[in-house]
Amino acid sequence: AGEVGSGTANASGLRHFSAFAPAGGTQKVGEPIRGVGESDLCSVRVECFAPRAKIGSFEPNEDDIETTVKETLEGRKAKVVLLHVVLGSKTGLCYPSMDLVERLQKKHGEQFLCVVDACQMRLPKGGLTEFLQL
């Protein structure tokens, strides 16, 4: 926790995540983005995979992520899984790994989507290019 913003679930579900509109004015948090039809909206269940121990050390467990994706898709709990990858967080984190993303993409195809959070551009040289080539 703490690696992504609080609006992640709303944004992933095609809903406003902030009360302030990009072009000025205000909007209601959680309301659908203009132009998105009711049938396009999706409910989003957020699963958090904390890559840090309680003391703050980096202790990733990608097996949990892989298992959750598999159980979600094979158990028909969802049609699609959207994995939020943090690439160069405010604390320098890049998680989960490119290797995991590639494995999940190959195994699940179009049922697996990945969004890369690299908005601060705190990432290794060529880091974003690898994801764009998937």
Side-chain angles (χ1 to χ4, degrees), residues 18-79:
S18 172
F20 302 102
T26 59
Q27 58 207 10
K28 189 172 180 182
V29 173
E31 288 292 312
I33 295 170
R34 185 175 22 158
V36 173
E38 193 65 35
S39 64
D40 296 324
L41 293 173
C42 39
S43 62
V44 176
R45 189 182 90 219
V46 176
E47 293 279 341
C48 295
F49 299 96
R52 297 188 185 279
K54 289 183 181 182
I55 60 170
S57 59
F58 183 57
E59 296 179 13
N61 184 353
E62 293 185 337
D63 291 342
D64 286 349
I65 297 172
E66 198 160 11
T67 298
T68 299
V69 170
K70 178 183 176 188
E71 289 175 355
T72 298
L73 293 174
E74 290 179 2
R76 308 260 189 250
K77 296 176 188 173
K79 294 179 183 177

Side-chain angles (χ1 to χ4, degrees), residues 3 13 16 46 54 70-71 80 82 89 91 94 96 113 118 121:
E3 301 293 342
H16 292 291
V46 176
K54 289 183 181 182
K70 178 183 176 188
E71 289 175 355
V80 175
L82 175 66
S89 74
T91 61
C94 293
L113 300 175
M121 295 306 285

